[in-house]
Each structure stands twice: as structure tokens, then as C-alpha cells.
Amino acid sequence: MSTSRFIPGHEPPDRGREDALLFATHGLELLIEERDGAVSIPKGAALPGLAAEGHFIGALDGVDCYAVAWPKEQEPPAGLKLVGGRNLFRQVDEVLLGVAGRALAISEWDITHRFCGRCGTPTDLVSGERARRCPSCRTPFYPRIAPAVIVLVTRGDSMLLARSSNFPEAFFSTLAGFVEPGESLEETVHREVKEEVGVELKNLRYFGSQPWPFGRSLMVGFTAEYAGGELRVDDKEIAEAGWFTADTLPRIPPRLSIARHLIDSFLERVKGSAGPSGP
């Protein structure tokens, strides 16, 4: 478990940015330095022009952190490269991954709200809060997230896992989907599971949540039990699905994801309920 500590903030401190960590992003990619397989975030001194434009997002172990958009179509300098944020799962700890995700979201908010969506006027940064505001019609624009649900469905000592046709890698995971206007989180869980694999649920329980910047959302986790219905994939978002036990596990998500937390928690419960295996 990481011992790092991140303290979020939005008011930049009155000191230089040379030693600050600069989280430069392009879409869902992050600018990193990689040496001997170890990933690090470049310092402001390496990119002083960008550092001056960065948004303060907080301090990681006492080191200032800034987020900024990497200029479109500009090649990174020697020794640095852009990598997909998802690729960092196996290379950095959970705290640094969370800071990177925060930077991705804030940089995109800054780029996509430079002009008012109501009247087209260039927007201004608002002092004292994370916002842009139109000076003409006064419409404010805040960083936005899209709420999503994720659920582990169980049946006895087995769990329902599915392989999405959209996954960049061929692994199985829990079911998930975005909340639609007018829905509660619980309604979304029931709808998504019914649409994607055709089964009904019971005993729906809240599990936990996790920021998910790679879709710029907040993942709200649940557990549920199978209540009926024939397993039937939609052949659109889901390529295949099935019931798996601890002994028949397919390839599953990396440990830092909430999907993996759901799976590991269930496996621990099954292991504990089995009791001792011998005298």
C-alpha cells in the first residue's frame, strides 16, 4: 500500500514552479519520463513555458502539482513521451494514479470551456474556485464528471464476469454502465445488467466508489445476487460472459481498479466461508 499523501487545492502557492510536478496531458494521455522501467512525472524546470500556464491541483508529499494540456501535434522533447493513462496501472501507485487522473480531467475542462457554450464569448478563469465564467452572459463552467455504476453479480460461489468488445485488452471484468438522466444509481444497475446480459438481480448493496478519469467519471460500485433469467449477451458492448469460480478465473482487471476490488472481496468471502480444509 502506498504511503504517499496528496492534498488537493486550487489556489497556486506563491513560489516558483521549477521543482513542481507538471502533469501535461493530451486527451487521455500523460507526459512521462521513463528510465529503466520506472515512471516519473517531469518537473516544471523541464518545461517552464507550460509550467507557467498550469493549473495548481494540490501537493503530493509536499511537492506542488500542476496540470496543463500538452500542445496539439507537438512532439515531446527528448527523454519524455506521451502514454495512455490506463497504461500507468501497472507502473505507479494508487495515489500517483489518482493525481494523474485529476490532471487529465482538469486539463480537458480548461481546453473545452475556453468559449461559452451559450453565447460563444471567450471565458475567464474565476478566482477562488475551479471554474470558468462567461463575462457576457455570466454562465459558469465547472469540471464535470459522468456518474457510472459497476456491479459484481454473484450466484453461490460463482460470479458473473464479462468481456467487453471495447476493452483494449482481452480480459473479463464486472458489469458497468453510465447513469442516464432521471435514473437513480440502483435503477441504472438493474437496467445495465438486464440490457447487457439479460439477468435479474436481488439484494443490491453499495460497495464503494472510485474516481475513473479514463472515462472522466465516478464509478459507484455495488454487489448483487442473481435473481433469475437466462444469460444472454447483447453482442454490442459485451462480447462474451459467464459464471466463474475461484478455480476457473479468466484474466481479470489490474489490482488498482474498483472492478478488481469487487472481485477480490468476493474471493476472500468465498475463501473464508469454506472454512478449514483438513484436520
Side-chain angles (χ1 to χ4, degrees), residues 6-13 54-60 63-67 99 102-103 106 109 128-130:
F6 178 71
I7 301 176
H10 60 268
E11 288 288 350
H55 292 269
F56 181 70
I57 58 176
L60 177 62
V63 180
D64 296 340
C65 299
Y66 288 85
V99 180
R102 182 184 294 260
I106 290 175
W109 156 78
E129 59 180 327
R130 186 83 66 198

Side-chain angles (χ1 to χ4, degrees), residues 88-125:
L88 298 178
F89 265 94
R90 297 177 179 87
Q91 296 180 283
V92 302
D93 64 33
E94 190 169 6
V95 176
L96 183 57
L97 185 69
V99 180
R102 182 184 294 260
L104 288 171
I106 290 175
S107 295
E108 187 201 37
W109 156 78
D110 185 47
I111 287 294
T112 57
H113 292 90
R114 294 289 177 92
F115 295 88
C116 177
R118 176 172 290 177
C119 69
T121 302
T123 59
D124 298 326
L125 287 171

Side-chain angles (χ1 to χ4, degrees), residues 153 155 160 162 175 189-201 225-235 238 240-243:
V153 182
R155 185 179 64 182
L160 178 57
L175 298 169
V189 173
H190 286 282
R191 175 184 56 77
E192 283 287 344
V193 172
K194 184 66 174 179
E195 288 177 356
E196 293 186 349
V197 294
V199 302
E200 303 286 347
L201 305 177
E225 296 176 11
Y226 170 77
E230 180 181 353
L231 191 60
R232 183 185 67 256
V233 300
D234 65 359
D235 290 326
I238 305 299
E240 57 181 315
W243 295 99

Side-chain angles (χ1 to χ4, degrees), residues 146-149 177-185 188-189 191-192 218 220:
V149 298
F178 287 101
V179 180
E180 294 186 353
E183 279 187 329
S184 68
L185 298 174
T188 304
V189 173
R191 175 184 56 77
E192 283 287 344
L218 173 67
V220 184

Side-chain angles (χ1 to χ4, degrees), residues 140-165:
F141 299 94
Y142 300 94
R144 296 178 179 177
I145 57 173
V149 298
I150 186 166
V151 58
L152 179 66
V153 182
T154 62
R155 185 179 64 182
D157 64 352
S158 63
M159 57 186 142
L160 178 57
L161 301 177
R163 181 173 66 83
S164 171
S165 54

